[in-house]
Amino acid sequence: MLVRVEAVHQDGVSLTGKVDVLPLVQQQDGLGRTHPREIVHDVPYLRIQGGTSALIIDPKPGDIGFIVVSGRDHSHAVLNRAPSLPASSRVFALKDCVYVGGFLNDAPSQYVQFTDEGIRIVTPGKVEIEAASITANCNFTTTGDVTAGGISLMNHTHSGVQPGGGTSGKPTE
């Protein structure tokens, strides 16, 4: 069922959050009268995850996506995160759904794009990498400066420079 995200309830990188969604296709009775749908609250949403590795792109209010409705009441299984008996005899209820998003949204302003030529990362902000180490087997090109240990690659100076075949000292700021 096509829905719009009305609110997002999440806690950073912890357990996947929940959204409140509004079904976009309204109901109609036999006389042609419209019956608007109500907001469905606390719907778990999809993250692409395997074990403890994940791609975290939490939904935002206004996003449009789909909910997938379970055949039975799945509230105990969601709570326990394990095989569980249905909490009630309810079947195919909107309350028992998960949100899968990102179908009819505007073009993104930041993204990771995978193509046959490579990977492109675009952001209006900054990119932060937290890792024990980074190994690159490639050429590295930048139009900006590179700073390591507080020393600028473009604007550093060398001490102990002597004419002839000598070597200079380490760069200084």
Side-chain angles (χ1 to χ4, degrees):
M1 180 177 294
L2 195 63
V3 297
R4 181 180 64 221
V5 174
E6 299 297 304
V8 180
H9 314 284
Q10 51 89 16
D11 189 20
V13 297
S14 66
L15 185 64
T16 301
K18 296 184 179 181
V19 290
D20 300 339
V21 297
L22 178 66
L24 294 180
V25 178
Q26 297 179 338
Q27 292 181 312
Q28 190 175 30
D29 65 18
L31 299 174
R33 295 178 295 205
T34 302
H35 297 275
R37 298 270 193 170
E38 293 185 11
I39 291 176
V40 182
H41 297 277
D42 297 323
V43 177
Y45 59 81
L46 172 75
R47 278 187 179 159
I48 298 172
Q49 185 165 346
T52 57
S53 299
L55 178 60
I56 300 176
I57 305 175
D58 294 323
K60 301 287 185 215
D63 284 355
I64 295 175
F66 280 97
I67 54 171
V68 179
V69 180
S70 297
R72 296 292 309 268
D73 180 344
H74 70 201
S75 55
H76 280 167
V78 168
L79 181 66
N80 298 329
R81 297 187 318 157
S84 305
L85 291 172
S88 71
S89 58
R90 129 181 122 218
V91 294
F92 297 105
L94 292 185
K95 187 167 190 63
D96 300 309
C97 66
V98 293
Y99 174 76
V100 181
F103 292 103
L104 298 171
N105 300 319
D106 294 332
S109 62
Q110 68 178 9
Y111 52 89
V112 177
Q113 181 180 23
F114 292 81
T115 69
D116 290 341
E117 290 77 35
I119 301 171
R120 181 175 178 218
I121 301 172
V122 176
T123 180
K126 63 182 178 177
V127 176
E128 291 184 27
I129 299 173
E130 293 181 28
S133 66
I134 296 176
T135 302
N137 184 15
C138 63
N139 294 324
F140 187 84
T141 305
T142 181
T143 56
D145 197 359
V146 175
T147 304
I151 299 173
S152 162
L153 182 62
M154 293 175 67
N155 298 307
H156 70 271
T157 59
H158 290 264
S159 61
V161 176
Q162 299 174 9
T167 58
S168 67
K170 292 184 177 184
T172 58
E173 291 185 59

